[in-house]
Amino acid sequence: PLPNQPPSVGSLHFSMADGNPVEETFKKLQSHKGVLGVVVTNSDGIAIKSTFDNDTTVQYASLVSNFTAKARGAVRRLDGDDELRFVRLRSKKHEIMMAPEFSQGQEYCLVVVQDPSAS
């Protein structure tokens, strides 16, 4: 894994319909030093699970959904056979890691927000 990246973020493959232990994944991600919150969004940018308060959840879900849609389009325009797998965005205050998952007609995005200075 990249520095400051929780080990399971970039390789998380889950389907909400499969009944995989999403709670365990959330707890594992939350336990990493500096992690401020975790959100899972659907293809409409609606949060389906979050550790943030409601206002923060809605804000991250909406903005990240738009961002990953644009990033996904850029990757496809550069190479039609390629697919967006992971985006890492770092600002002065936060690091936002986004792992979109497109499979079986379902689209989800795992978002982990952390304080990079806490690592």
Side-chain angles (χ1 to χ4, degrees):
L2 298 171
N4 302 325
Q5 178 184 346
S8 58
V9 173
S11 61
L12 180 67
H13 298 285
F14 68 93
S15 168
M16 301 305 273
D18 289 345
N20 286 344
V22 175
E23 287 293 330
E24 288 179 34
T25 301
F26 264 62
K27 287 178 187 175
K28 187 174 181 180
L29 290 171
Q30 268 302 132
S31 72
H32 287 277
K33 187 176 182 181
V35 171
L36 303 173
V38 182
V39 181
V40 174
T41 65
N42 66 12
S43 59
D44 297 320
I46 297 170
I48 53 178
K49 180 134 182 79
S50 178
T51 61
F52 285 117
D53 63 70
N54 189 58
D55 290 341
T56 304
T57 296
V58 170
Q59 185 177 28
Y60 272 106
S62 174
L63 295 173
V64 164
S65 177
N66 291 333
F67 185 84
T68 56
K70 288 188 182 288
R72 182 181 186 198
V75 168
R76 283 202 173 154
R77 279 191 298 276
L78 291 169
D79 182 342
D81 295 328
D82 207 353
E83 185 176 314
L84 180 68
R85 303 303 278 162
F86 188 80
V87 178
R88 184 176 180 172
L89 179 68
R90 188 169 180 162
S91 68
K92 285 183 180 179
K93 293 183 177 182
H94 298 108
E95 186 168 39
I96 305 167
M97 294 164 282
M98 299 158 268
E101 181 67 34
F102 312 101
S103 63
Q104 301 170 355
Q106 299 292 323
E107 183 177 328
Y108 299 101
C109 186
L110 173 69
V111 180
V112 177
V113 180
Q114 72 177 17
D115 176 355
S117 66
S119 308

